[in-house]
Amino acid sequence: VFEEFEDEEDFSESDNFSADDSFDDDDIDDDELYEDEDEEGEKKKKKVLRRRGKRRRQKKMKENKGKRSKKAWIIGGSIIGGLLVIYLGISAFFISHFYINTTINGKDFSGKTESDVVAYMKDQVEGYSLKIIEADNKTDEINGEAISMTYKKDDSVKENQNPLLWIRALFSKSSAEVTINVDYNEDALSKAIGSIQAVKAEQTEPVSAYPKFDGESFKVEPEVYGSAVDMEILTKKIKEYITNFEPELNLLNEKCYKVPKYTTESKEVQ
């Protein structure tokens, strides 16, 4: 019995020893485990904080960038808007005024209004007279006041001006020759034409060149220019010159005298 007990005791001790040996090999110290876990958690925490901080910085940078961009757009828009208002304001001015560097009939009308042009044209009309140059250097004059001559406003003076394109006028000159349109009393004009010396003088009709037999052969007898005025041409030319505000009319140059039908140069008399 004793021997069996010892064997069992030996066996128990042997078992306990084996169990202890097995625990020592596999088990990890609790302190070391907690320490490792704490270090790993701290690293994760720092990593998370770094990420959060980075995101905050990026977000803040984007917000600041957006604010700067928005501010730049506001400033730029304000400048452009201000310039546009100024440009449109100047354009509105040139709706009723002529461009800079604008001359009309040789006179500078830069920045002037249509009423200024009308006043100028009226002054020109009030002092207007048409000088008539006749044969033998005789002259006559038709005075604008004598025929109740008045200026007729012409709205086409400014119709080709686009107020929005005023800036182009700063770099180029605009010149226009404008016909001064006028009205006059027809009866008074007819009376003035009838008082011209060439009309009141004796009207000698012209004689055409013609072949003449001199007893031996035919020779061309030269044409003779008379003093007769062609009233149809004269009246037409005077009205044309007055309408176009011309200062001088030469009756010979404008063929206001009757002329021979044939001259020595005509084939019909050769």
Side-chain angles (χ1 to χ4, degrees), residues 158-258:
K158 255 182 96 283
E159 66 181 9
N160 294 326
Q161 178 175 299
N162 186 338
L164 292 175
L165 301 180
W166 61 267
I167 197 168
R168 292 169 55 184
L170 300 178
F171 308 100
S172 62
K173 291 186 177 181
S174 176
S175 179
E177 292 298 325
V178 179
T179 299
I180 302 177
N181 297 317
V182 296
D183 282 327
Y184 50 82
N185 185 290
E186 290 278 356
D187 293 335
L189 179 61
S190 296
K191 184 177 179 180
I193 292 174
S195 66
I196 295 173
Q197 296 179 69
V199 175
K200 293 193 300 181
E202 183 181 352
Q203 303 293 296
T204 304
E205 295 292 328
V207 178
S208 294
Y210 62 95
K212 182 180 180 182
F213 187 71
D214 62 358
E216 294 181 359
S217 62
F218 282 97
K219 292 183 179 179
V220 176
E221 190 71 17
E223 69 277 6
V224 177
Y225 287 90
S227 61
V229 174
D230 189 324
M231 291 302 295
E232 184 179 347
I233 294 177
L234 176 63
T235 302
K236 178 183 177 182
K237 288 298 179 180
I238 288 177
K239 287 183 176 181
E240 181 182 310
Y241 270 57
I242 290 175
T243 300
N244 293 329
F245 211 66
E246 298 289 345
E248 191 175 278
L249 169 64
N250 188 303
L251 300 189
L252 287 173
N253 292 344
E254 291 293 352
K255 297 180 173 58
C256 294
Y257 289 100
K258 291 181 180 180

Side-chain angles (χ1 to χ4, degrees), residues 38-252:
D38 290 343
E39 289 180 0
E40 186 175 352
E42 190 67 25
K43 289 179 180 179
K44 288 182 179 179
K45 184 177 180 181
K46 288 181 179 179
K47 191 173 182 180
V48 170
L49 291 174
R50 282 196 300 271
R51 288 177 180 173
R52 289 179 180 174
K54 186 176 181 180
R55 283 197 295 268
R56 289 195 192 99
R57 287 193 298 273
Q58 289 176 344
K59 184 178 180 181
K60 191 173 182 179
M61 288 175 65
K62 287 181 179 179
E63 289 177 352
N64 291 336
K65 186 177 180 180
K67 289 179 180 179
R68 288 194 298 268
S69 178
K70 186 177 181 181
K71 186 176 181 180
W73 276 106
I74 292 173
I75 294 173
S78 299
I79 293 173
I80 293 173
L83 292 174
L84 183 60
V85 169
I86 294 172
Y87 189 90
L88 292 176
I90 297 174
S91 297
F93 174 80
F94 284 110
I95 291 175
S96 57
H97 294 74
F98 287 97
Y99 285 157
I100 302 300
N101 296 324
T102 297
T103 59
I104 298 175
N105 290 3
K107 182 174 176 60
D108 184 16
F109 281 97
S110 299
K112 301 291 186 180
T113 64
E114 285 187 272
S115 59
D116 293 325
V117 177
V118 171
Y120 170 75
M121 296 300 186
K122 283 182 176 179
D123 288 340
Q124 297 296 301
V125 169
E126 287 177 3
Y128 175 76
S129 64
L130 176 63
K131 184 178 181 181
I132 309 292
I133 302 176
E134 306 162 39
D136 302 325
N137 293 321
K138 293 180 180 180
T139 61
D140 274 300
E141 188 175 272
I142 296 178
N143 189 279
E145 187 176 355
I147 60 174
S148 302
M149 188 174 173
T150 56
Y151 172 69
K152 185 169 62 176
K153 185 179 178 183
D154 184 2
D155 293 328
S156 66
V157 175
K158 255 182 96 283
E159 66 181 9
N160 294 326
Q161 178 175 299
N162 186 338
L164 292 175
L165 301 180
W166 61 267
I167 197 168
R168 292 169 55 184
L170 300 178
F171 308 100
S172 62
K173 291 186 177 181
S174 176
S175 179
E177 292 298 325
V178 179
T179 299
I180 302 177
N181 297 317
V182 296
D183 282 327
Y184 50 82
N185 185 290
E186 290 278 356
D187 293 335
L189 179 61
S190 296
K191 184 177 179 180
I193 292 174
S195 66
I196 295 173
Q197 296 179 69
V199 175
K200 293 193 300 181
E202 183 181 352
Q203 303 293 296
T204 304
E205 295 292 328
V207 178
S208 294
Y210 62 95
K212 182 180 180 182
F213 187 71
D214 62 358
E216 294 181 359
S217 62
F218 282 97
K219 292 183 179 179
V220 176
E221 190 71 17
E223 69 277 6
V224 177
Y225 287 90
S227 61
V229 174
D230 189 324
M231 291 302 295
E232 184 179 347
I233 294 177
L234 176 63
T235 302
K236 178 183 177 182
K237 288 298 179 180
I238 288 177
K239 287 183 176 181
E240 181 182 310
Y241 270 57
I242 290 175
T243 300
N244 293 329
F245 211 66
E246 298 289 345
E248 191 175 278
L249 169 64
N250 188 303
L251 300 189
L252 287 173

